[in-house]
Amino acid sequence: MFLIEADSGVIFLTRPLDREKETEYFLKIRAEDTARSRSARSVGVRQLESYYLAYDETLVLVSVGDENDNSPVFQNGIHPIVAVVPLEAVYGFEIAQVKASDVDKGYNAAIRYQIIQEDRDSSSKFHIDPLTGVIRSMMTFSLDSGREFQFHVKATDREASETGRSALTHVIVYVLPETKLIVIVCHTRPLVMEQNIEKVLGYLSNATGYRIQMSKLQSHHQGQNEDPERTDLFLYGVERETNKIINTDQLLKIFIKKSDAIREGLSQFRIQKIEGVSVQQKISHMGTTEVAIIALSSVIFLGGVLGIALLCSTCKKRKTKQQQEKWEQERVFRVRNTLIDESVGPPYERRVANKADVFHPPSYSNTTSNT
């Protein structure tokens, strides 16, 4: 890889260096008398047996500098990132996290993330932390049940400067209520489950044949009581080829069918229950304030609907009364006026007289007679 000019001692490269393959080289240079040629030898740092140098030798360290010759690479590769945001999610809810790495170093590996502005909803409802890649909700999703949002995330090195290299990944976010999720109750603390979540999800994915992902993780709730010694793990499944969310009933059947194997394979987490989230469970997990707000909202909604119905009924009656009064006035006018046909039509219909029935006053000439 190196050559040295015998007379000048200048060292040359014989081919390009790649810092990602080797970061430094050690060259031992020996000087000989003018009757012989100089020579250079390159050895790897691990192959160098000794730093001992003879009186006619010297050691040269070649340190390979970094060049921004590599683009960031997302951990998910060519596959999109599929995530679920609960229907009940509020501002700041963490939805997913994208991660990219760069084999360069220093400034050349300083990655920044951003959401590409493609869809108005995607740009307004989601935000990504430029340093960590955490995607959070910026708005509520109470009116977006069943909707699907898609956007791209861009990772750029050199702190997203104009000279940086970039890569894109596709993100798909589904809006689902908790009743469309599967919950696994474990007799394990939430912190321990969080530390081992990749292992749990990997095992469940292999057992079911689908890509199992976590929507949220929390301490176990039983009615209004919270148990910090147990964990509720909310999961959903993704079809590997289509990236579509698996139907809850279909996924639950697979979990129940393989429940014994799952409990045995994840025995250290002491799984107690595998079930779907019912509406009754969802209501029982709500606090008193949440239930009161829902009840008040329902009363306001029903009151508004009833008020609109009464208003429409009142307006209709008033309009009918006005039409009847108008018809009565026209009827009286026709009876009293001898120039109008005495026959009066039925309500809301006006009978137009024939031209022959219309009275024409006599005409007088404007000419003056001679006296």
Side-chain angles (χ1 to χ4, degrees), residues 246-265:
I246 305 301
N247 180 272
T248 306
D249 295 334
Q250 177 184 349
L251 186 61
L252 183 59
K253 289 180 180 178
I254 298 176
F255 268 97
I256 294 176
K257 182 179 179 180
K258 301 187 177 183
S259 59
D260 294 337
I262 292 175
R263 283 187 170 88
E264 183 178 353

Side-chain angles (χ1 to χ4, degrees), residues 3 16 34 45 79 133 140 169 184 197 206 212 255 271 296 347:
L3 287 178
T34 56
V45 64
H79 301 287
T140 60
T169 189
I184 294 182
I197 192 62
N206 293 332
I212 304 300
F255 268 97
I271 296 177
L296 180 61

